[in-house]
């Protein structure tokens, strides 16, 4: 999910922090790609007559077709991708995962009703809502990437956090993901729509964290608190405070603690259990691989130490 409405907030309040670009302009760039997000997109979008692609045995292949052709597209345009796969979700994400489970159960009921009514349009709509990336999907895509000679990493936790860590360490130019929380994790550059198909005709959206913070007149810590107020995967937000009000409050009071002191909590209801401090800490210090221990093909005069979770196969993590 990422951060609710963050792209619009940036567009409204920090337009110089984002621009549209063409894939050819990233020639020679090394980019960390959120693999799990990409696979989810492929399972939804790569279809024929509304159904996922399958092989002769009836096994789903949409994720493999998407991964193969979009990776080829990036490589043909001179991009050097390294795919990053999600690890174990943080405990704080359990509430969000439970909500997703409930939405899938609701979609399953809707699909059953649509099938009974013979409503093809609704059947396709609900089937897309039931899409879930499995460990099998991930394993198959890793095998494909290994055969293609494309490096990948297994993040210990959130893929967006690991992508951001690679960017901050100067190993790659940008994080490639649809989740805006890559910025909350501190990625200096975020690219959205990088793995979209040519048929979508969507330009790549490029976000620059330093320009966003400068135009919003916020520090990174204040920006993290803004993202929590907007709504993130790790805790609920304050009921009644939308993006515009959240922006006003964080600019005025600088932190969630100060906001709580000054707002009318009868008008703006605080969540009954609100671990916003833990969410803040997770954004500031996420569980990630030590990127200096990940083997790199370009080191300053010496070969980097191999990580236990380094890129699989012969290919090495780009710098």
């Amino acid at each position: 999910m990422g951060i609710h409405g963050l792209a619009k907030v940036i567009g409204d309040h920090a337009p110089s922090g984002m621009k549209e670009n063409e894939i050819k302009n990233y020639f020679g760039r090394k980019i960390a790609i959120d693999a799990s997000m990409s696979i989810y997109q492929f399972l939804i979008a790569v279809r024929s007559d509304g159904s996922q692609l399958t092989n002769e045995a009836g096994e789903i292949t949409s994720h493999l077709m998407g991964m193969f052709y979009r990776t080829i597209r990036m490589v043909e345009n001179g991009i050097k991708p390294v795919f990053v796969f999600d690890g174990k979700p943080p405990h704080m994400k359990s509430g969000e995962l439970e909500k997703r489970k409930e939405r899938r159960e609701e979609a399953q009921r809707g699909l059953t009703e649509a099938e009974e009514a013979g409503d093809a349009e609704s059947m396709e709509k609900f089937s897309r809502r039931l899409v879930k990336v499995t460990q099998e999907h991930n394993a198959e895509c890793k095998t494909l990437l290994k055969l293609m000679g494309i490096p990948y990493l297994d993040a210990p936790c959130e893929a967006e956090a690991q992508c951001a860590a690679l960017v901050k360490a100067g190993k790659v130019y940008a994080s490639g993901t649809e989740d805006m929380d890559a910025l909350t994790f501190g990625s200096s550059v975020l690219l959205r729509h990088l793995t979209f198909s040519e048929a979508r005709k969507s330009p790549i959206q490029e976000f620059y964290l330093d320009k966003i913070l400068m135009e919003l007149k916020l520090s990174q810590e204040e920006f993290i608190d803004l993202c929590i107020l907007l709504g993130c995967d790790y805790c609920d937000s304050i009921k009644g405070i939308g993006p515009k009000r959240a922006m006003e409050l964080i600019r005025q009071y600088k932190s969630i603690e100060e906001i709580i002191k000054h707002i009318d909590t009868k008008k703006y209801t605080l969540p009954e259990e609100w671990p916003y401090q833990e969410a803040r800490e997770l954004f500031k210090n996420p569980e990630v691989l030590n990127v200096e221990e990940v083997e790199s093909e370009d080191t300053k005069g010496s070969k980097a130490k191999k990580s236990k979770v380094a890129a699989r196969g012969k290919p090495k993590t780009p710098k």
Side-chain angles (χ1 to χ4, degrees), residues 88-122:
K88 182 180 178 182
H91 175 70
M92 290 194 66
K93 203 171 184 176
S94 58
E96 173 61 24
L97 296 176
E98 186 60 32
K99 291 177 185 177
R100 293 179 188 179
K101 180 182 177 182
E102 291 173 1
R103 288 196 291 267
R104 280 195 297 272
E105 290 173 350
E106 184 179 338
Q108 183 61 62
R109 289 193 292 270
L111 177 60
T112 301
E113 292 175 3
E115 288 173 340
E116 291 174 352
D119 186 343
E121 184 177 344
S122 294

Side-chain angles (χ1 to χ4, degrees), residues 153 171 289-297 299 302-317:
L153 293 174
K171 300 289 184 181
L289 294 175
N290 182 346
V291 294
E292 297 305 326
E293 292 182 353
V294 174
E295 189 176 76
S296 170
E297 64 182 3
T299 59
S302 63
K303 198 171 184 179
K305 180 181 178 183
K306 289 185 178 181
S307 166
K308 292 182 180 179
V309 205
R312 303 306 200 257
K314 295 291 184 181
K316 302 172 184 178
T317 306

Side-chain angles (χ1 to χ4, degrees), residues 10 40 58 82 85 136 170 182 184 192 208 261 269 282 304 306 313:
I10 292 171
Y40 178 76
V82 54
F85 288 82
E136 185 177 4
T184 324
R192 299 182 82 196
Y208 304 93
K261 291 178 185 178
T269 308
L282 197 155
K306 289 185 178 181

Side-chain angles (χ1 to χ4, degrees), residues 51-191:
S51 300
Q52 291 176 318
L53 304 183
T54 60
N55 58 20
E56 292 180 354
E59 299 166 327
I60 294 172
T61 58
S62 291
H63 56 305
L64 297 173
M65 294 293 285
M67 181 68 74
F68 180 76
Y69 285 109
R70 310 297 161 79
T71 302
I72 290 295
R73 176 177 175 241
M74 285 189 281
V75 172
E76 285 180 340
N77 281 277
I79 293 173
K80 301 175 182 179
V82 54
F83 285 87
V84 181
F85 288 82
D86 275 326
K88 182 180 178 182
H91 175 70
M92 290 194 66
K93 203 171 184 176
S94 58
E96 173 61 24
L97 296 176
E98 186 60 32
K99 291 177 185 177
R100 293 179 188 179
K101 180 182 177 182
E102 291 173 1
R103 288 196 291 267
R104 280 195 297 272
E105 290 173 350
E106 184 179 338
Q108 183 61 62
R109 289 193 292 270
L111 177 60
T112 301
E113 292 175 3
E115 288 173 340
E116 291 174 352
D119 186 343
E121 184 177 344
S122 294
M123 286 166 59
E124 182 179 350
K125 178 183 71 174
F126 287 117
S127 67
R128 290 177 188 269
R129 293 180 184 177
L130 287 168
V131 166
K132 181 181 180 182
V133 177
T134 66
Q135 289 300 318
E136 185 177 4
H137 292 142
N138 285 336
E140 290 170 346
C141 286
K142 290 174 187 178
T143 299
L144 175 62
L145 291 171
K146 183 176 179 179
L147 293 171
M148 294 176 72
I150 302 296
Y152 68 83
L153 293 174
D154 285 316
C157 201
E158 301 276 47
E160 314 96 274
Q162 188 65 61
C163 290
L166 290 167
V167 176
K168 288 189 284 186
K171 300 289 184 181
V172 298
Y173 169 69
S175 298
T177 179
E178 300 309 299
D179 280 346
M180 294 294 292
D181 58 2
L183 295 171
T184 324
F185 283 116
S187 181
S188 56
V189 183
L190 165 64
L191 304 180

